[in-house]
């Protein structure tokens, strides 16, 4: 295999950027061959974009360029080996590709029969415009304060004649609008939370509202301008907003039409048998006997869906969905209808329209086939060869005991107040003997659900610091047991707390970390086996790997006479 010389990769990337739109020939220049596959300058750039952290794309040094090129060569070697092992015939690959083809066809069918045929008329848009009173828009300014008392103080200053814009710049906690003197922009109905909308649309220009409680604090609102809005100004925007709902209706109509055209018939006995089997086995996707699996659930023109077909379709329909309770007839019937549509009728319609031969779908399936073969080859050559024993797990754990330390823990009871003065008052009452839980129930602004309502664990680690803040966690582990501490400033105000229990840091047992240790060893073994596999492929296919140094040199120096290998 030819060894690449050092090149100025920054120039390579710059050249590609310059030519991406206007001189595609350079992006198409071949920098390497793996068998019959050509790797181009454009491929190299795209690989860099995929592996680079967000915002850090762009090849800038020879080492990074080499890494990208190696990744591309390794990828093509895996595909080449997959083809040579005829993994396109492998059962897992064939089944996965079949399912991807179905999904691609249905996506295209939805585009053709639903999206392309869905229209929102001017009349529908006009009706929405009138019903939602979109004929006026308001310009609003705001001052946001952290607490109600702070908002009341600002309102008092406004009543004394101070400038709304100046107070917004000086005191509003909403920095975005504060920079603009409180100006929050223009709004029509539906663009604000209902409580705010009700207030501002009842105000007159120049009027200032009382403080309004919002998620970000307390807002004082001022209506600065009001304008009439013509229907034609919002027509396209309204149509766009109504389009998703219109597609739902169009999809429903299309599905009903497909059912009727294929004379779909539902077999009640088959459905009852499915529910009975669910209850008997206690399984949502029951393991059916061959005899039960043959039972017909739906019949349609030149086809049928058996219970086996239905259960297999269920497993693929939505892997992350929460399905109904076992045996719930009313809830499972619509799901059965969806399965017969998506796994039998709609694919048939798609094939009748020739979507199985669609060029984009065919090209995507070819890419998917390569990816599936690569993944299957990784399973065979790496994952199926992995075997981490109990002895290896124990040996690693005992050799790295200091890596598995449980940090110190504490149990805390706290009261959270918005203002420091409130927290100081609570602190004094506690020192005078008041019951902390009763005060928390009455005064705390944070009432946690369940068992951690007032008492909760704090761990001396980064995760607790991200939840409670560094200052709070530090104070917890510096405090004495039973000592009342506060006020401590935290994200939502000021906390007064007491440490009830504390456990020192300790070494974890093997039982506690066995899964983590095993996972770590599996990851390392997977990396070792994969590296070994790639090394073997490099040696096996070495004669079929070629890197074109002359092309690279000409591209980096801006040469144009580099078409010999393109």
């Amino acid at each position: 295999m030819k060894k690449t010389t050092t090149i100025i990769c920054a120039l390579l990337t710059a050249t590609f950027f310059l030519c991406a739109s206007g001189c595609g020939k350079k992006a198409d220049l071949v920098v390497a061959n793996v068998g019959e596959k050509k790797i181009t300058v454009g491929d190299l750039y795209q690989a860099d974009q995929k592996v680079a952290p967000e915002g850090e794309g762009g090849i800038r040094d020879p080492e990074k360029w080499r890494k990208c090129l190696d990744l591309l060569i390794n990828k093509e070697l895996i595909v080449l080996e997959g083809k040579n092992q005829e993994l396109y015939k492998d059962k897992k690959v064939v089944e996965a590709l079949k399912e991807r083809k179905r999904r691609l066809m249905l996506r295209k069918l939805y585009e053709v029969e639903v999206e392309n045929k869905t229209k929102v008329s001017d009349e529908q848009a006009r009706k929405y415009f009138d019903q939602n009173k979109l004929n006026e828009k308001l310009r609003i300014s705001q001052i946001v304060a952290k607490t109600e008392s702070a908002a009341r103080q600002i309102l008092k200053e406004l009543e004394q004649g101070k400038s709304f814009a100046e107070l917004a710049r000086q005191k509003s906690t909403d920095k975005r609008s504060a920079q603009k003197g409180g100006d929050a922009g223009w709004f029509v109905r539906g663009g604000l939370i209902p409580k705010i909308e009700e207030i501002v649309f009842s105000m007159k220009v120049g009027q200032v509202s009382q403080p309004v409680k919002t998620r970000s604090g307390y807002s004082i609102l001022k209506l600065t301008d009001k304008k009439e809005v013509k229907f034609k100004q919002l027509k396209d925007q309204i149509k766009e907003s109504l389009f998703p709902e219109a597609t739902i209706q169009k999809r429903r109509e299309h599905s009903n039409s497909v059912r009727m055209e294929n004379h779909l018939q539902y077999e009640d006995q088959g459905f009852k048998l499915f529910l009975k089997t669910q209850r008997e086995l206690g399984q949502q996707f029951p393991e059916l006997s061959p005899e039960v699996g043959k039972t017909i659930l739906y019949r349609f023109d030149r086809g049928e869906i058996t219970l086996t077909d239905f259960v297999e379709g269920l497993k693929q329909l939505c892997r992350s969905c929460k399905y109904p309770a076992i045996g719930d007839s009313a809830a499972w019937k619509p799901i059965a209808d969806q399965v017969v549509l998506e796994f039998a009728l709609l694919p048939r319609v798609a094939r009748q329209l020739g979507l199985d031969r669609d060029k984009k779908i065919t090209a995507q399936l070819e890419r998917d086939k390569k990816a599936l073969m690569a993944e299957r080859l990784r399973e065979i050559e790496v994952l199926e060869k992995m075997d981490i024993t109990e002895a290896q797990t124990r040996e690693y754990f005992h050799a790295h005991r200091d890596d598995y330390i449980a940090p110190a823990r504490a149990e805390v009871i706290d009261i959270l107040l918005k203002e420091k003065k409130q927290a100081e008052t609570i602190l004094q009452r506690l020192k005078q003997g008041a019951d902390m839980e009763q005060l928390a129930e009455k005064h705390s602004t944070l009432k946690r659900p369940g068992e951690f309502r007032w008492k909760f664990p704090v761990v001396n680690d980064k995760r607790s610091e991200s939840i409670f803040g560094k200052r709070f966690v530090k104070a917890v582990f510096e405090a004495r047991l039973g000592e009342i501490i506060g006020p401590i400033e935290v994200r939502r105000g000021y906390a007064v707390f007491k440490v009830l229990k504390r456990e020192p840091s300790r070494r974890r047992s093997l039982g506690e970390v066995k899964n983590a240790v095993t996972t770590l060893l599996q990851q390392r073994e997977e990396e070792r086996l994969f590296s070994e596999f790639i090394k073997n492929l490099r040696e096996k296919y070495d004669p079929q790997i070629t890197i074109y140094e002359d092309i690279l040199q000409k591209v980096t120096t801006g040469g144009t006479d580099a078409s010999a290998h393109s």
Side-chain angles (χ1 to χ4, degrees):
M1 178 172 54
K2 294 183 181 179
K3 302 296 181 182
T4 57
T5 57
T6 301
I7 61 170
I8 306 172
C9 289
L11 287 178
L12 173 62
T13 302
T15 303
F16 177 76
F17 267 123
L18 291 169
C19 297
S21 60
C23 44
K25 288 185 178 180
K26 284 193 176 180
D28 293 336
L29 290 177
V30 177
V31 295
N33 278 351
V34 179
E36 297 180 355
K37 172 64 180 179
K38 298 177 179 180
I39 298 175
T40 66
V41 173
D43 294 331
L44 190 62
Y45 172 73
Q46 289 177 1
D48 173 62
Q49 292 298 301
K50 289 179 181 178
V51 301
E54 188 174 350
E56 296 183 15
I59 305 173
R60 290 177 173 82
D61 60 68
E63 184 179 347
K64 191 174 183 182
W65 173 85
R66 168 60 66 184
K67 185 180 292 186
C68 285
L69 183 59
D70 282 345
L71 283 172
L72 289 175
I73 290 174
N74 293 344
K75 171 190 166 187
E76 296 306 328
L77 289 175
I78 292 171
V79 172
L80 187 59
E81 178 68 6
K83 288 180 179 178
N84 288 340
Q85 290 192 25
E86 297 187 335
L87 289 182
Y88 50 84
K89 297 179 182 179
D90 182 90
K91 184 179 179 180
K92 285 187 176 182
V93 173
V94 171
E95 288 300 316
L97 197 62
K98 180 181 177 182
E99 173 59 12
R100 293 196 183 189
K101 182 176 183 179
R102 182 190 71 83
R103 290 179 181 272
L104 287 170
M105 287 197 304
L106 293 198
R107 192 180 303 156
K108 184 66 177 179
L109 181 65
Y110 178 80
E111 178 187 325
V112 171
E113 292 294 326
V114 177
E115 287 186 335
N116 292 351
K117 294 183 179 181
T118 298
K119 306 294 180 186
V120 177
S121 67
D122 286 358
E123 291 75 16
Q124 289 171 307
R126 180 75 206 203
K127 183 178 179 181
Y128 183 88
F129 178 85
D130 293 337
Q131 287 180 341
N132 290 277
K133 301 176 181 178
L134 301 179
N135 59 328
E136 62 177 346
K137 63 178 180 179
L138 310 181
R139 190 169 191 172
I140 302 166
S141 289
Q142 65 173 354
I143 300 174
V144 183
K146 191 174 183 181
T147 64
E148 184 176 8
S149 61
R152 292 284 177 193
Q153 180 59 39
I154 293 170
L155 186 62
K156 189 175 180 180
E157 293 182 55
L158 289 170
E159 290 170 347
Q160 291 171 353
K162 290 194 175 180
S163 164
F164 192 99
E166 284 305 314
L167 285 175
R169 290 189 184 94
Q170 294 169 12
K171 300 188 176 184
S172 181
T173 58
D174 184 78
K175 301 304 179 186
R176 190 172 183 178
S177 60
Q179 294 174 355
K180 297 179 284 186
D183 184 25
W186 289 93
F187 298 90
V188 295
R189 291 184 189 273
L192 296 163
I193 59 174
K195 179 165 59 175
I196 297 291
E197 188 169 288
E198 183 180 354
I199 292 170
V200 296
F201 275 89
S202 64
M203 291 166 61
K204 296 178 180 179
V205 174
Q207 188 176 348
V208 176
S209 76
Q210 292 293 309
V212 184
K213 178 73 174 73
T214 63
R215 192 161 48 180
S216 54
Y218 288 83
S219 297
I220 300 170
L221 307 165
K222 181 178 181 180
L223 181 59
T224 60
D225 201 356
K226 181 185 292 189
K227 287 184 179 180
E228 182 183 3
V229 178
K230 300 292 186 181
F231 170 64
K232 65 179 181 179
Q233 293 176 267
L234 292 179
K235 182 176 73 171
D236 291 342
Q237 188 178 331
I238 292 172
K239 285 186 173 184
E240 186 177 338
S241 69
L242 295 178
F243 187 79
E245 184 65 30
T247 60
I248 293 173
Q249 179 60 29
K250 176 61 73 173
R251 184 176 190 174
R252 191 178 296 119
E253 292 171 1
H254 179 255
S255 297
N256 289 337
S257 174
V258 169
R259 290 188 185 97
M260 292 179 63
E261 290 171 3
N262 286 274
H263 303 99
L264 182 66
Q265 294 181 345
Y266 163 67
E267 297 292 336
D268 188 56
Q269 290 304 312
F271 189 58
K272 287 179 178 177
L273 182 56
F274 167 73
L275 297 174
K276 179 185 175 184
T277 308
Q278 266 193 331
R279 295 189 194 101
E280 290 175 349
L281 299 179
Q283 300 172 345
Q284 284 188 318
F285 308 146
E287 296 293 330
L288 305 174
S289 66
E291 192 62 31
V292 171
K294 293 178 183 177
T295 306
I296 295 173
L297 183 59
Y298 285 95
R299 299 179 190 274
F300 48 89
D301 289 350
R302 302 183 305 283
E304 58 192 28
I305 288 286
T306 66
L307 288 185
T308 295
D309 298 329
F310 174 53
V311 171
E312 290 304 311
L314 275 177
K315 292 176 181 177
Q316 297 182 64
L317 185 63
C318 179
R319 299 179 188 275
S320 61
C321 291
K322 184 177 180 181
Y323 284 100
I326 289 171
D328 187 341
S329 175
W332 280 97
K333 177 61 171 60
I335 294 175
D337 287 346
Q338 191 66 21
V339 169
V340 73
L341 265 175
E342 294 206 11
F343 289 88
L345 301 185
L346 293 179
R348 171 187 285 189
V349 173
R351 285 190 291 271
Q352 289 171 346
L353 293 174
L355 300 185
D356 54 332
R357 301 184 299 278
D358 180 86
K359 289 183 179 180
K360 289 185 178 179
I361 291 177
T362 302
Q364 182 61 52
L365 287 173
E366 188 60 32
R367 291 191 292 271
D368 288 347
K369 182 169 69 174
K370 291 179 180 179
L372 288 167
M373 286 195 300
E375 180 57 30
R376 182 68 184 119
L377 189 59
R378 176 174 163 272
E379 288 179 5
I380 294 169
E381 298 293 342
V382 177
L383 301 184
E384 293 176 5
K385 292 181 179 180
M386 288 170 51
D387 183 23
I388 303 300
T389 65
E390 294 271 350
Q392 287 174 305
T393 300
R394 283 196 303 273
E395 181 182 354
Y396 182 88
F397 171 73
H398 288 299
H400 299 84
R401 289 300 307 273
D402 290 343
D403 292 345
Y404 299 97
I405 303 294
R409 296 173 59 88
E411 183 180 317
V412 174
I413 180 171
D414 80 338
I415 303 174
L416 184 67
L417 290 308
K418 283 195 172 181
E419 297 185 11
K420 189 173 183 179
K421 285 184 179 180
Q422 293 175 304
E424 289 171 343
T425 301
I426 292 293
L427 179 63
Q428 291 304 314
R429 293 181 63 182
L430 290 170
K431 288 183 176 180
Q432 293 167 8
D435 183 273
M436 195 162 187
E437 285 198 43
Q438 289 181 4
L439 289 179
E441 181 70 50
K442 186 175 182 180
H443 297 287
S444 184
T445 58
L446 178 60
K447 296 177 173 60
R448 301 175 187 86
E451 60 179 312
F452 299 131
R453 189 168 181 81
W454 315 120
K455 300 176 184 179
F456 57 93
V458 178
V459 181
N460 195 11
D461 63 5
K462 297 292 185 184
R463 184 169 182 272
S464 282
E465 288 179 354
S466 69
I467 296 171
F468 304 111
K470 289 184 178 181
R471 184 181 302 180
F472 182 81
V473 173
K474 185 173 184 289
V476 165
F477 289 96
E478 288 179 348
R480 296 189 298 271
L481 284 178
E483 181 184 8
I484 299 172
I485 302 295
I488 299 291
E489 187 174 4
V490 293
R491 289 173 185 166
R492 297 186 181 183
Y494 294 86
V496 177
F497 71 88
K498 179 168 66 175
V499 178
L500 304 175
K501 297 178 185 177
R502 187 183 289 128
E503 299 174 8
S505 62
R506 61 177 179 81
R507 285 183 168 182
R508 298 183 190 273
S509 67
L510 177 59
E512 290 178 283
V513 299
K514 183 179 178 181
N515 288 341
V517 175
T518 303
T519 299
L520 175 64
L521 293 178
Q522 286 173 337
Q523 289 172 344
R524 292 183 175 182
E525 179 65 359
E526 182 178 349
E527 290 172 3
R528 185 190 70 80
L529 288 170
F530 186 74
S531 295
E532 186 177 286
F533 172 56
I534 291 297
K535 180 182 176 183
N536 292 336
L537 289 183
R538 288 271 186 166
E539 292 174 356
K540 179 177 179 179
Y541 293 104
D542 181 78
Q544 298 186 51
I545 302 172
T546 307
I547 298 174
Y548 298 111
E549 306 294 345
D550 55 335
I551 299 298
L552 292 175
Q553 187 63 34
K554 288 183 181 295
V555 170
T556 56
T557 56
T560 57
D561 185 19
S563 58
H565 309 291
S566 60

